[in-house]
Amino acid sequence: MSLLERLARQSGIYAVGNAAVKAAGLALAPLLLNPAYLGVEQFGYFALLMTSAQLGIYVVGMGLSTGLVKHLSDPSGSLDRDALPFTALAASVVAAVVAAGLLSAAAGPFAAFLLDDPARDRLVWALAAYVAFKAVAAVPMTVLRTRERAGVFVIATASELVALVALAWWLLTARGMGLEGVMLAHAASAGLSAAVMGGHLLVTGERRFDRMALKPLLAYGLPLVLASLAGWFLNAGDRYLLKWLADPRAVAGYDWAARIAGLVNMLFVQSFQTAFTVLGMKALAEGEDRFYPRAMRHYVVWTGAAVLALSLFTEDGMRLLVLLFDVDPFYTGAGDLVFPLALGFMAFGIYVIVNNVLLATGRTRIVGTTVLFAAALNAGLNLLFIPRWGAFGAALATVVAYTALAVAAARAARREARIAYDWRIPIAVVGALVLLAWIGSLAGTLEAPARLAVRGLLLAAYAVFVAASGIYPPAAAMPWIRRFRPRRGQGPDPV
């Protein structure tokens, strides 16, 4: 099986797992968006807590997962590959315990800063537990990725989500615990995942700590913590700025729009990234330079279709949620923000492709610099745009910053490997998306049947455009569709 076939197949399997993530989000929507269980301001505070959790996971993880991907994917390395998983797991457990203790000790001041009430320190304790468990679970999940065990990865992800949904429904509906119940459900489900996956790694791998292997893991991964922190701000830091420049209600509307746009992120960008990071490094090691431009064409065309579909039909989807589940009508305004946010996620996927060259060649300082540049640009644009356009300004700043990140990484990667990307493809696709989405927004004044019909035709027009323009002829699409579908009885190739 070629690298491109493995990318398609594993991306498809990871997409199934990410679909489970989004299914869990939809299962929780009747709770999180219903004022009977969680008010709009409380949802805004929940968004800020989860944003802070992302920050904590990056810091506590110390880049160990990225170091594992690098060294486990390089058969020519001098490290003892069998000892690497346990070494990284042991280090992550120590870091998680220390971090959880420090965050719990500062729970009162942190609650005052984030939640406007120091008495809500129990929410911070739940946050600390969630961060610790997710940081530990990241190690065995990374090992599954590098071994191309996509099916097991998906099962593990889905199991955690089933526990999360069940606990959240019980704690909110039966116990009436509100925001505290939501956070406890996240912490408990993450703890279950960490225990099961950590135990799986201990049973299936060697339990041998290699102190000499820890240093190169950290040397590779720690510089990327800076990139992770900047990337965290680039992806989620605008919630803090919105709370500062607006209020928690603005945070709630923006965060829900980002969750909808996150369908593109989870089903296309993250599933693609999870497979591509490993296979892209292997491709460079094998001299398969053509793998990168071919992967970019497939990624841009299919992700573009998802961006357009989401932007065209979010409005009607939210109206249906309001009708069926007593969702607060406040959230229907999220549809206006979905297109720029989804387009930003698409730009991040392009960054993943070009940036993988820098990761494969060990240029982690350059990676950190480019992400820091994009984060600073995003912060400046947020300060400029939010007072003028509110949450839409934050969304606009995000897509501009992600685009700048992709361009900066592409320029830096050219010094390491001259890969012949056809940049006309993403430029043409994005141009078509902007035009079609704008026309779709004009149809918003029509009655529902006519509105849905017009927007359906616009989605079909996109397919006609990419085929007729030669960007993506049917001959290229059909093999990809067949390879994207997992085959029965065929497991992943060994590393």
Side-chain angles (χ1 to χ4, degrees), residues 14-28 134 141 153-154 156-162 164-165 259 262-263 265-267 270:
Y14 288 130
V16 172
N18 289 334
V21 173
K22 278 303 168 185
L26 291 175
L28 291 175
K134 294 298 284 187
M141 297 297 276
F153 185 98
V154 167
T157 301
S159 299
E160 178 181 348
L161 293 171
V162 169
L164 169 62
V165 172
R259 287 171 181 261
L263 282 167
N265 185 37
M266 297 293 287
L267 299 181
Q270 287 193 16

Side-chain angles (χ1 to χ4, degrees), residues 292-310:
Y292 279 72
R294 293 173 67 190
M296 178 182 284
R297 180 174 72 160
H298 290 297
Y299 166 80
V300 167
V301 170
W302 287 101
T303 307
V307 169
L308 181 61
L310 203 60

Side-chain angles (χ1 to χ4, degrees), residues 67-148:
L68 276 176
V69 171
K70 165 64 177 175
H71 292 292
L72 289 178
S73 300
D74 184 7
S76 63
S78 59
L79 297 181
D80 184 352
R81 297 169 72 198
D82 292 334
L84 288 177
F86 181 80
T87 301
L89 181 64
S92 69
V93 169
V94 172
V97 170
V98 172
L102 292 175
L103 186 55
S104 297
F110 193 82
F113 166 73
L114 200 64
L115 307 172
D116 302 319
D117 185 358
R120 308 188 78 180
D121 52 358
R122 290 201 297 182
L123 290 172
V124 180
W125 296 343
L127 173 69
Y130 177 76
V131 168
F133 290 139
K134 294 298 284 187
V136 171
V139 172
M141 297 297 276
T142 299
V143 173
L144 290 178
R145 286 174 53 203
T146 56
R147 292 174 178 170
E148 301 186 36

Side-chain angles (χ1 to χ4, degrees), residues 22 239 253-263 337-338 341 345:
K22 278 303 168 185
R239 275 76 160 175
Y254 182 86
D255 187 77
W256 181 245
R259 287 171 181 261
I260 298 173
L263 282 167
L337 308 176
V338 167
L341 288 170
F345 284 129

Side-chain angles (χ1 to χ4, degrees), residues 205-228:
E206 292 193 21
R207 296 183 294 274
R208 180 158 45 86
F209 184 85
D210 186 351
R211 183 171 58 86
M212 299 304 296
L214 183 60
K215 183 177 179 180
L217 281 175
L218 294 174
Y220 182 87
L222 277 176
L224 292 176
V225 172
L226 175 62
S228 297

Side-chain angles (χ1 to χ4, degrees), residues 442-462:
L442 298 179
T445 57
L446 301 175
E447 295 296 325
R451 182 174 65 246
L452 291 171
V454 169
R455 290 174 174 174
L457 289 174
L458 290 172
L459 188 59
Y462 173 79

